[in-house]
Amino acid sequence: MEKIIEFSADGLYVVNHEGVTLFVNTAYEEITGFKREELIGFHMGDLIKRGYLDQSVSLLVLNEKKRISILQQIGQQKKDVIATGNPVFDESGAISMVVTSVRDLTHLNELTKELTKAKTFSQLSQNRYTFSTDGSDEQIIFQSMRMKEIIHKIHQIAPFPTSVLLSGPSGAGKEVIANLIHQLSDRKDEPFIKVNCGAIPEQLLESELFGYEKGAFTGARNEGKIGLLELADKGTVLLDEIGEMPLPLQVKLLRVLQEKKIQRVGGTETKQLDIRIISATNKKLKELVLKGLFREDLYYRLQVVELSIPPLCERPEDIEILLDHFFAYFSRQYAIKKNVSEETKRILQNYHWPGNVRELRNLVESMLVSVPSFTIEPVDLPPHFTTQLDIVAPTTMKQRVEQYEKRIVQDALQKNTSIRKTANFLGVDHSTLVKKMKKWQMTKE
């Protein structure tokens, strides 16, 4: 019989009616890394104290007098196993021994993870359109028809050197779209220079854009300076917040676009220039033209192709997949694993997102690092989310206690491998925990 047991692919472990180890087969030694000489003759309780295992299914079987299976990590390498203890009864009905089979689940779990990855990639292929920009972790994630039309348009115009005007609210992704246009063009290996026209003081903007010659003005470098437009020769320039550009500078930019030449401040020579201009604004340039704050001729030069990036509230189909994307991204960055409750997702889906994709990204990062529990609930959101949607937060003592109790149970379910182990961890009866889970519509995945 011992020879037959030795040939079993599963680890086998036998204890007597007192819980003392009688026999261990070779497969168990190979799975755990423990030698039978370390185990035979020792009580399971002593082996637990000495760190050989964290719990014993044999002792559970002796206590409950029935077959029991548990999931646990065992051995020197903490392998995932399923241990099933079977009681052997004598003629009087008492347990004479417990035979436990131990099956290594490590390989099976690895296959399951790979299958999950494959399913995720399949869903991405079916529902999302993702474009990564080279040398950056930025991605354009969407499934709304409006964004699909914009990406299709970008593929059409990117190969040509025409000027592109990107309009849309702050945080909607205009810079990411500009990156994509550059990467899909034949200029992708040339410079891509971004200039924020609203962030550079007016008196410095001209010299930054056009450069200057030696001694052009007080404080100028002796050797002069090359401008950003000249640096971008053969490449692309993004003029962000173009609506903030002062009128005198608009005249000079118009000349660059018309003549394809540049002249440094204080200089007399002109230099031939080959650049593509992408401009971006969160203002309505047509209104600025009517008010005399923006040149009409420059507007039409910049607006050869105009792409209007919609705010996030106008493409609600993208909210959930952006939420999932940023959660996955920051989870990898910070090695944090959390999930979002369905009620929280519903709130985020109905929020008006004045800060658009940028606000969503920042919120996800904030929640991942600042919320202590595994599951992010509505109570964890900033106050203006629930205020805007008229959601009633728990106010009575009973409601607050129940909300806190619910979060404790959710965290415990995440930490333990079964409902029964969760109940033991929380120090409550198994049936009590099951009733609460049914009441709160919880499941153990």
Side-chain angles (χ1 to χ4, degrees):
M1 180 62 69
E2 286 184 6
K3 288 182 178 179
I4 293 172
I5 292 173
E6 278 296 308
F7 281 111
S8 171
D10 288 346
L12 294 176
Y13 196 110
V14 184
V15 302
N16 65 12
H17 65 285
E18 294 179 341
V20 176
T21 307
L22 298 177
F23 178 80
V24 175
N25 74 345
T26 302
Y28 186 90
E29 290 180 306
E30 291 174 351
I31 291 171
T32 64
F34 301 138
K35 297 297 182 183
R36 63 188 73 193
E37 295 81 21
E38 301 174 76
L39 307 170
I40 293 174
F42 291 97
H43 191 275
M44 297 305 296
D46 293 331
L47 293 175
I48 291 174
K49 290 177 182 177
R50 291 165 61 182
Y52 281 89
L53 59 167
D54 57 349
Q55 59 180 326
S56 169
V57 71
S58 303
L59 295 182
L60 293 174
V61 171
L62 288 172
N63 185 47
E64 299 192 24
K65 296 180 173 55
K66 64 179 182 180
R67 178 178 177 173
I68 294 176
S69 295
I70 61 171
L71 290 169
Q72 64 181 142
Q73 289 188 323
I74 199 169
Q76 297 168 338
Q77 297 180 356
K78 298 296 181 183
K79 290 185 177 180
D80 296 316
V81 302
I82 181 169
T84 302
N86 295 277
V88 179
F89 298 95
D90 60 20
E91 295 178 356
S92 65
I95 294 179
S96 60
M97 65 179 67
V98 176
V99 179
T100 298
S101 64
V102 177
R103 177 160 295 183
D104 189 352
L105 298 179
T106 305
H107 183 58
L108 179 61
N109 287 343
E110 288 174 353
L111 290 175
T112 302
K113 288 178 181 177
E114 290 300 319
L115 178 60
T116 302
K117 285 183 182 179
K119 286 182 177 178
T120 303
F121 285 126
S122 176
Q123 291 171 352
L124 285 170
S125 299
Q126 293 172 10
N127 302 318
R128 306 178 192 181
Y129 304 84
T130 303
F131 297 92
S132 300
T133 56
D134 292 347
S136 169
D137 56 18
E138 288 180 326
Q139 291 183 320
I140 303 175
I141 308 292
F142 65 94
Q143 65 181 14
S144 64
M145 185 55 66
R146 291 189 65 179
M147 287 303 297
K148 182 178 180 181
E149 291 170 353
I150 289 171
I151 298 301
H152 179 69
K153 188 77 170 179
I154 288 171
H155 275 271
Q156 286 183 313
I157 66 170
F160 303 100
T162 51
S163 299
V164 180
L165 174 62
L166 304 176
S167 60
S170 296
K174 296 187 293 295
E175 184 176 337
V176 180
I177 293 292
N179 290 343
L180 180 60
I181 295 171
H182 177 70
Q183 291 299 332
L184 292 177
S185 73
D186 57 2
R187 299 168 180 261
K188 64 179 181 179
D189 297 322
E190 301 296 339
F192 181 26
I193 294 180
K194 305 171 186 179
V195 183
N196 189 323
C197 301
I200 303 174
E202 182 178 338
Q203 61 271 26
L204 294 179
L205 186 56
E206 181 179 9
S207 60
E208 288 295 318
L209 281 176
F210 298 94
Y212 56 83
E213 295 292 353
K214 177 182 177 180
F217 51 86
T218 304
R221 293 179 186 174
N222 290 333
E223 68 277 14
K225 181 181 179 182
I226 186 171
L228 296 173
L229 295 179
E230 194 175 337
L231 280 173
D233 192 26
K234 303 291 190 298
T236 307
V237 173
L238 170 62
L239 298 176
D240 199 7
E241 297 188 34
I242 187 67
E244 302 291 335
M245 180 174 282
L247 282 168
L249 215 51
Q250 292 179 29
V251 177
K252 294 196 70 172
L253 179 61
L254 178 63
R255 191 176 301 122
V256 170
L257 292 172
Q258 289 174 334
E259 301 175 3
K260 305 295 183 184
K261 294 179 180 179
I262 192 170
Q263 182 176 320
R264 293 185 183 182
V265 176
T268 56
E269 295 182 1
T270 59
K271 175 181 173 59
Q272 198 70 30
L273 204 60
D274 174 20
I275 57 172
R276 180 187 202 159
I277 298 287
I278 301 175
S279 49
T281 180
N282 58 10
K283 296 184 176 182
K284 296 181 179 179
L285 289 188
K286 281 187 177 180
E287 293 183 2
L288 295 181
V289 169
L290 293 174
K291 294 176 181 177
L293 299 175
F294 201 87
R295 291 185 62 95
E296 186 175 20
D297 45 6
L298 177 59
Y299 169 68
Y300 287 115
R301 279 284 181 176
L302 296 174
Q303 189 239 1
V304 176
V305 176
E306 182 171 2
L307 296 176
S308 180
I309 315 301
L312 192 54
C313 62
E314 291 183 11
R315 45 187 176 108
E317 312 96 301
D318 294 338
I319 293 174
E320 186 171 353
I321 62 169
L322 283 167
L323 189 69
D324 293 341
H325 167 70
F326 289 133
F327 257 97
Y329 173 74
F330 286 116
S331 293
R332 289 193 303 271
Q333 287 286 96
Y334 303 138
I336 299 173
K337 187 176 181 181
K338 287 190 173 77
N339 56 62
V340 184
S341 72
E342 290 303 316
E343 178 63 14
T344 306
K345 280 188 177 181
R346 187 186 69 80
I347 294 171
L348 297 177
Q349 193 78 31
N350 291 294
Y351 180 61
H352 67 296
W353 296 108
N356 296 293
V357 179
R358 185 184 295 123
E359 182 183 8
L360 176 58
R361 177 190 172 103
N362 292 344
L363 175 70
V364 170
E365 183 176 11
S366 172
M367 290 191 300
L368 270 172
V369 300
S370 64
V371 175
S373 59
F374 283 104
T375 302
I376 295 171
E377 297 287 352
V379 70
D380 299 315
L381 295 173
H384 62 274
F385 278 83
T386 51
T387 302
Q388 186 237 337
L389 295 168
D390 295 325
I391 294 169
V392 180
T395 53
T396 67
M397 177 68 77
K398 184 178 179 181
Q399 288 174 326
R400 289 173 181 268
V401 169
E402 184 176 20
Q403 182 76 24
Y404 184 63
E405 185 179 15
K406 183 179 177 182
R407 291 181 64 174
I408 291 175
V409 170
Q410 284 175 326
D411 286 351
L413 286 167
Q414 290 275 353
K415 293 175 181 176
N416 294 279
T417 55
S418 68
I419 295 175
R420 190 173 296 278
K421 287 181 71 173
T422 303
N424 291 336
F425 176 80
L426 293 171
V428 299
D429 188 75
H430 177 262
S431 61
T432 302
L433 179 58
V434 171
K435 287 177 183 177
K436 289 183 179 293
M437 290 176 66
K438 286 182 178 179
K439 176 185 176 183
W440 296 326
Q441 297 181 335
M442 287 183 186
T443 58
K444 174 64 180 153
E445 296 181 0

